Amino acid sequence: MAFAPLSPAVLYCRRKWRHDEDERLGERLGWPSQPRPDGPLAWLHGASVGESLALLPLIERLSARGFAILVSTGTSSAAAVIAPRLPAGALHQFLPLDVPQFLARFLDHWRPNLALVADCEIWPNLFLAIKRRSIPLLLINARISQRSFRRWRWFPHVIAALLDAVDLCLAQSEADAERFALLGVRHVKVAGNLRYDVIAPPADRQSLASFAARVGSRPVWVAASTHRGEEEILLTAHQMLAQIVPDLLTVIVPRHARRGAAIAALAASRGLVAARRSTETDDFLPEIYIADTTGELGLFYRLGGIVFLGKSLAEALGGGQNPIEAAKLGCAILHGPNVGNFTEVYSALDSARGAVTVADADTIARVVAILLADAGKLRLMARAASETVKGLGGACDRIMSAIEPHIAQLSIESPYWQP
């Protein structure tokens, strides 16, 4: 309640800096924008793009079991990506701010029969509100970093009270499971990472064909999910490559599309010709193409073949981006040394030689040059990446098996529902 008066300021900042949709800001205060569907409802929450996309296999399975589906996200970028990929009838809402009266409106309206929260989201008021309503709370695809674990250990009674609301924690790894158990979760199992079960990101056929025609036979590589500070390094790598690879096309897909103009200005300051996808007016493709749109990674992964994954070159940036989608689409993957948020998959990819670590512009340029010059080496690397992530799948089956008792209990409590 104490934070409620600050809500207008928080919403103003979200609207200004995160470009939240004005007409949906009421959802942040718990006001629903759609009616609740009839029947049992499964509510799944994924904070941002990666967490929400990982829910897709589980959403399909729960929908097939007779649940109406509500998906909530914390960011507008996640909403833009997840909404078009939801099955028919599934609804999206923004998660309210973690203020008791806002959460009460949300929960009183939607009345979920199951609450499934993905990844490492621990919201104090949300968890307590769910517990008060006796809604089964399941942590799925759950992970907690060593840093977060150490932080929570300073407040053992607080975290124990919050995690007492959790009926079942399905962790990504043994290390995650151990940390959650030590923090006080009563029932913990290892189910693996749902992200391995997500189908490859889609691409509009017409857009793909059109862009492929524009690229033609030009050599191309993609730098995806880049962050501030990385584009300078990538542009330097492009300039080094351009000296030995004629007509090279470098595609930069920033993690935040709104940074497109800044990246174009950076390229111009180096004497490079750049075009932005959000503002282009003709079919000309210069040496730098900035894909400053949302939800089109599937298109560029299909065209590139060689993909650098960002948020990984500097420790301050914070631990890498998810490489699974690129690997599923048969891309050879380059990444910086800082991939602590995805240690398991990068270790597996590196060991299988489906990915390689690059620490600076010189190394990036040398590896990209080798792969562009040797199609056989590129194919072997791409195949290794694809087969590695395929072999790590199966989490969705394990999660469905683990939550079956909760589904069965719902059918007992509601005998007219036949799951």
Side-chain angles (χ1 to χ4, degrees):
M1 299 288 274
F3 293 104
L6 299 176
S7 300
V10 173
L11 294 178
Y12 172 80
C13 292
R14 296 190 72 99
R15 187 167 66 249
K16 183 175 177 62
W17 299 112
R18 297 194 179 186
H19 303 277
D20 275 1
E21 302 173 45
D22 286 349
E23 66 273 18
R24 297 186 64 184
L25 286 177
E27 294 176 24
R28 305 286 190 183
L29 304 178
W31 297 111
S33 60
Q34 301 179 73
R36 185 199 190 280
D38 294 332
L41 184 140
W43 163 41
L44 301 94
H45 174 70
S48 57
V49 174
E51 291 88 344
S52 57
L53 286 176
L55 294 172
L56 285 171
L58 198 57
I59 290 169
E60 294 282 356
R61 295 283 289 273
L62 288 168
S63 179
R65 291 297 302 272
F67 283 97
I69 301 295
L70 172 68
V71 178
S72 64
T73 62
T75 66
S76 53
S77 57
V81 172
I82 192 72
R85 298 179 65 174
L86 292 176
L91 304 175
H92 173 270
Q93 296 279 279
F94 287 113
L95 184 71
L97 302 177
D98 198 50
V99 175
Q101 64 261 46
F102 303 163
L103 296 167
R105 288 189 198 123
F106 178 87
L107 293 172
D108 290 346
H109 173 80
W110 293 106
R111 305 187 313 281
N113 299 92
L114 283 178
L116 302 97
V117 176
D119 237 79
C120 53
E121 292 285 293
I122 300 176
W123 293 101
N125 289 315
L126 176 64
F127 279 27
L128 294 176
I130 290 172
K131 181 180 179 181
R132 281 194 295 270
R133 287 164 174 77
S134 300
I135 300 168
L137 173 59
L138 316 177
L139 299 187
I140 55 173
N141 222 39
R143 66 184 177 92
I144 185 167
S145 68
Q146 184 65 30
R147 178 184 297 179
S148 295
F149 172 71
R150 287 197 299 265
R151 188 183 305 126
W152 279 118
R153 292 279 278 185
W154 284 99
F155 308 98
H157 299 298
V158 174
I159 190 61
L162 295 178
L163 294 180
D164 185 59
V166 176
D167 293 274
L168 176 63
C169 173
L170 298 172
Q172 291 186 19
S173 68
E174 292 286 353
D176 292 311
E178 182 178 1
R179 290 168 191 154
F180 277 111
L182 289 172
L183 290 176
V185 179
R186 290 164 294 167
H187 304 294
V188 185
K189 295 182 180 179
V190 178
N193 194 334
L194 263 177
R195 298 186 192 216
Y196 295 120
D197 293 337
V198 178
I199 62 172
D204 179 78
R205 289 186 180 182
Q206 184 174 348
S207 296
L208 179 60
S210 172
F211 198 81
R214 294 170 65 189
V215 174
S217 60
R218 292 178 65 179
V220 57
W221 69 295
V222 175
S225 297
T226 62
H227 285 63
R228 189 184 307 276
E230 292 184 312
E231 289 89 10
E232 291 93 335
I233 299 170
L234 296 164
L235 290 172
T236 299
H238 169 86
Q239 291 175 307
M240 299 170 71
L241 278 164
Q243 298 177 29
I244 57 174
V245 182
D247 208 20
L248 175 69
L249 173 63
T250 295
V251 178
I252 297 177
V253 188
R255 175 66 179 83
H256 301 290
R258 63 180 179 273
R259 296 188 54 245
I263 299 169
L266 181 63
S269 73
R270 292 167 168 254
L272 298 170
V273 181
R276 294 170 56 198
R277 186 164 178 81
S278 64
T279 60
E280 62 181 344
T281 57
D282 57 44
D283 287 340
F284 171 66
L285 279 179
E287 54 189 321
I288 304 295
Y289 188 77
I290 303 165
D292 55 346
T293 54
T294 300
E296 291 195 298
L297 268 178
L299 186 155
F300 295 106
Y301 284 162
R302 285 172 170 84
L303 285 171
I306 304 169
V307 173
F308 167 83
L309 267 299
K311 202 180 180 182
S312 61
L313 284 175
E315 187 174 358
L317 290 173
Q321 295 284 175
N322 176 17
I324 296 171
E325 292 183 334
K328 285 200 169 190
L329 287 172
C331 297
I333 295 169
L334 285 63
H335 61 88
N338 299 291
V339 291
N341 289 342
F342 302 94
T343 301
E344 178 191 51
V345 62
Y346 277 111
S347 295
L349 288 169
D350 289 347
S351 297
R353 298 187 178 181
V356 62
T357 303
V358 290
D360 50 39
D362 181 67
T363 310
I364 293 171
R366 285 191 288 110
V367 173
V368 172
I370 290 170
L371 294 174
L372 288 174
D374 191 335
K377 186 181 292 291
L378 176 57
R379 283 195 298 271
L380 285 173
M381 191 172 174
R383 187 181 304 123
S386 177
E387 291 177 353
T388 296
V389 297
K390 182 179 180 181
L392 291 169
C396 189
D397 288 338
R398 291 188 286 273
I399 290 174
M400 286 300 297
S401 177
I403 69 176
E404 186 61 39
H406 295 280
I407 297 176
Q409 183 63 34
L410 289 177
S411 66
I412 292 171
E413 295 171 355
S414 304
Y416 299 105
W417 173 46
Q418 297 298 322

